[in-house]
Amino acid sequence: MPIAATTPPSETVIEAFRTEFRGDVLVSTDDGYDEARSIWNAVIDKAPAVVVRPLGASDVMTAIAFAHEHDLEIAVRGGGHNVAGNAVCDGGLMIDCSAMRSVRVDPKAKTAWIEPGALLHDVDVETQAHGLVLPGGFVSSTGIAGLTLGGGFGYLSRAFGLTVDNLRSVELVTADGRFVTASEDENPDLFWALRGGGGNFGVVTAFEFDLHELESTVLAGPIAYDFADAPAVMREVATAVREAPDEVACLMAIRKAPPAPFLPEEVHGELVLMVVVMYAGSVEAGEKALAPIRGIGSPIVDAVGPKPYATFQTMFDAATDAGARNYWKAHYLSEMSGEAIDAMCDYAITIVSPETTIGMMALGGEISRRPAGSTPYQHRDAEWVVNVQSRWREAAEDDVHIAWARDLFDALTPHATGGTYVNFISHDEGEQRIHDAFGTDAYERLVAVKAEWDPENVFHLNQNVRPAV
Ligand code: FAD
């Protein structure tokens, strides 16, 4: 692991570097530097010595060689959304992939090559232009790179699997500056590790995916319930989702109602349960498949209707925009038990921040049909993932909101599997949580792959898998 340089590279060194690097090279005195070092989670405030924005794989190779030459730690940024904030570092080199954002679709082969700076919205728009989709996440401003490298689940995952389940190949630059391809046929161990093992193995310069057909209009939207009804409704929704076809996507969220136009004004600021559904198929088939969920209880509002898939994907973008302070803790649930529901409802009444959410995403379907060891992404048999998402604005309130998330997490622990999702781990959760994400077998296999491809742990600013000694 390189020792962080005590002095940043001199102006002369930076000027020389600029002549060989095609993209932007920014240091603290440059316009745009502060914007470049800012990431989604405002809790993370770090100042790299140098930020580079590569325009292609050769720039990434140049950047890695520069970091080695000047003993700079390397942080890699895709979409900058990760809550742990490893996309930025203090005093090192930040490789910001945001200028590499192309999405090239082959409609005949139903595949796409996607660069690591692309956001999910870029992917949705380009693929939907051909009536195709890639399963991504629930928020369209998330980066494809970090999402894919950790697994990736969203509205389409019960129907078409995780984002990594649709990965065909990856191009990346390794710790020693080599450009390599990984697929089932080429460097298969590396390819396995990239399907959930995070940013441990190199800087990805392109992902190749299989795509699926989906008409542009889907039946989708939120259903809101009075919080008093939440325990009963959540139980019924869990049963209905278990019996639903794979095309039915569902997430639940408990939060104070935002001032969204679809919600009546009198509930704004009050605790509500939101049940958000989508059917990954025709609107007609969706009417039938979503009816059992839409028939549950007496909602305040049912805003489910036909809408463009790519627009629906942006529904949570405003509520989760960059710049707020965030702290997450996540559990997998083998089932949505009554005890887990009661714990969430008990803690919900103590929520103080208007932006905090207890998010529950239904898994299962195609995710659960892949063999457990097929990817480093584990916990395929979990029916739900719960993400306790504290979100607030003032640094002075950090302790209160972080403590609230930890307390609810602890209350849920007896009802959870013990595992977690690598992409939902916060900055201070420690090494054990990384083990919990992978489990012993996958972790040991990742360690062996890491030892082969990054024996010096050059890429350690991530949910780090240390190479075997
Ligand atoms: P970044 O912070 O840029 O990257 C995260 C890490 O990935 C980096 O620290 C680095 O280690 C690695 N990395 C990034 N780019 C590269 C690269 N080119 N090469 C090698 N390593 C790289 N996840 C889901 O699965 N489903 C969801 O529905 C979902 N919803 C979310 C909603 C919000 C509002 C947020 C903030 C996150 C959500 N996530 C979801 C989690 C998300 O998948 C992770 O935060 C993911 O890491 C984000 O990727 P990014 O590229 O934007 O992040």
Side-chain angles (χ1 to χ4, degrees):
M1 179 187 311
I3 315 276
T6 45
T7 46
S10 68
E11 253 178 61
T12 320
V13 166
I14 294 293
E15 280 318 311
F17 181 45
R18 282 192 168 117
T19 62
E20 54 176 326
F21 193 85
R22 289 191 300 137
D24 292 338
V25 175
L26 300 169
V27 295
S28 62
T29 48
D30 289 322
D31 287 347
Y33 168 84
D34 274 330
E35 192 193 328
R37 73 182 183 88
S38 302
I39 56 167
W40 176 79
N41 186 1
V43 165
I44 311 296
D45 180 14
K46 293 189 177 163
V50 190
V51 181
V52 293
R53 290 209 177 108
L55 295 180
S58 70
D59 267 355
V60 172
M61 290 159 143
T62 306
I64 291 175
F66 181 81
H68 287 321
E69 196 182 331
H70 298 282
D71 288 333
L72 297 169
E73 284 189 293
I74 298 174
V76 188
R77 181 194 197 277
H81 247 215
N82 196 282
V83 69
N86 289 313
V88 61
C89 52
D90 269 327
L93 177 80
M94 176 181 187
I95 300 180
D96 168 9
C97 300
S98 59
M100 294 173 65
R101 198 170 163 172
S102 83
V103 177
R104 189 164 49 82
V105 176
D106 179 340
K108 274 204 192 127
K110 298 194 184 115
T111 58
W113 277 100
I114 303 178
E115 287 191 313
L119 306 182
L120 298 186
H121 188 64
D122 301 323
V123 177
D124 293 338
V125 170
E126 290 298 331
T127 53
Q128 276 282 273
H130 307 281
L132 298 168
V133 282
L134 172 70
F138 294 97
V139 173
S140 87
S141 50
T142 306
I144 189 72
L147 177 116
T148 302
L149 292 168
F153 45 70
Y155 292 110
L156 297 171
S157 301
R158 282 170 44 85
F160 303 132
L162 300 168
T163 310
V164 277
D165 295 337
N166 294 279
L167 193 59
R168 293 170 62 86
S169 68
V170 175
E171 292 178 349
L172 81 165
V173 180
T174 58
D176 55 4
R178 277 178 298 148
F179 178 81
V180 300
T181 302
S183 67
E184 293 282 9
D185 303 322
E186 217 174 330
N187 299 310
D189 278 347
L190 177 61
F191 185 58
W192 175 85
L194 290 163
R195 285 180 290 165
N200 275 287
F201 306 97
V203 179
V204 175
T205 54
F207 298 93
E208 185 192 16
F209 291 101
D210 280 319
L211 305 176
H212 299 266
E213 289 178 18
L214 187 74
E215 286 172 25
S216 69
T217 302
V218 292
L219 189 67
I223 310 165
Y225 294 87
D226 191 295
F227 177 67
D229 297 337
V233 171
M234 289 165 74
R235 282 169 168 82
E236 285 192 58
V237 169
T239 304
V241 172
R242 190 177 299 138
E243 288 163 7
D246 292 352
E247 289 82 0
V248 170
C250 179
L251 68 84
M252 296 194 277
I254 302 175
R255 58 164 297 160
K256 290 183 188 247
F262 75 90
L263 288 167
E265 246 177 65
E266 59 270 23
V267 302
H268 292 177
E270 300 295 325
L271 269 185
V272 287
L273 169 71
M274 309 265 278
V275 177
V276 183
V277 291
M278 192 193 100
Y279 184 80
S282 72
V283 170
E284 297 70 38
E287 293 283 4
K288 193 167 163 234
L290 294 179
I293 298 179
R294 296 177 73 191
I296 293 170
S298 309
I300 301 166
V301 62
D302 175 342
V304 176
K307 41 187 73 87
Y309 167 75
T311 308
F312 177 60
Q313 280 273 87
T314 65
M315 179 181 152
F316 289 115
D317 287 14
T320 57
D321 60 355
R325 305 180 77 78
N326 294 272
Y327 187 80
W328 290 3
K329 282 186 88 78
H331 275 304
Y332 283 107
L333 306 182
S334 50
E335 59 169 337
M336 181 64 73
S337 67
E339 291 87 348
I341 289 171
D342 291 344
M344 288 188 268
C345 292
D346 286 350
Y347 274 82
I349 52 181
T350 63
I351 290 177
V352 280
S353 171
E355 300 189 68
T356 285
T357 301
I358 306 172
M360 297 149 266
M361 295 76 138
L363 303 172
E366 191 56 28
I367 300 172
S368 60
R369 288 197 198 99
R370 311 261 167 158
S374 59
T375 57
Y377 178 94
Q378 299 295 302
H379 317 294
R380 287 179 178 271
D381 50 355
E383 285 189 356
W384 292 83
V385 60
V386 175
N387 195 14
V388 182
Q389 300 166 235
S390 257
R391 184 173 160 93
W392 66 101
R393 297 282 159 175
E394 300 300 327
E397 296 174 6
D398 285 5
D399 290 349
V400 175
H401 298 291
I402 290 173
W404 180 87
R406 286 184 182 148
D407 288 349
L408 172 50
F409 173 85
D410 289 346
L412 280 170
T413 300
H415 318 298
T417 64
T420 191
Y421 178 36
V422 75
N423 272 345
F424 287 173
I425 298 178
S426 278
H427 61 280
D428 63 351
E429 291 199 69
E431 252 179 74
Q432 181 56 46
R433 221 45 198 142
I434 302 172
H435 283 259
D436 294 344
F438 298 122
T440 304
D441 291 353
Y443 188 83
E444 281 174 6
R445 192 168 166 193
L446 285 170
V447 167
V449 178
K450 179 81 171 173
E452 189 182 343
W453 292 94
D454 184 14
E456 304 295 324
N457 207 4
V458 168
F459 300 113
H460 59 272
L461 297 176
N462 42 45
Q463 301 301 351
N464 196 223
V465 172
R466 291 172 204 268
V469 178

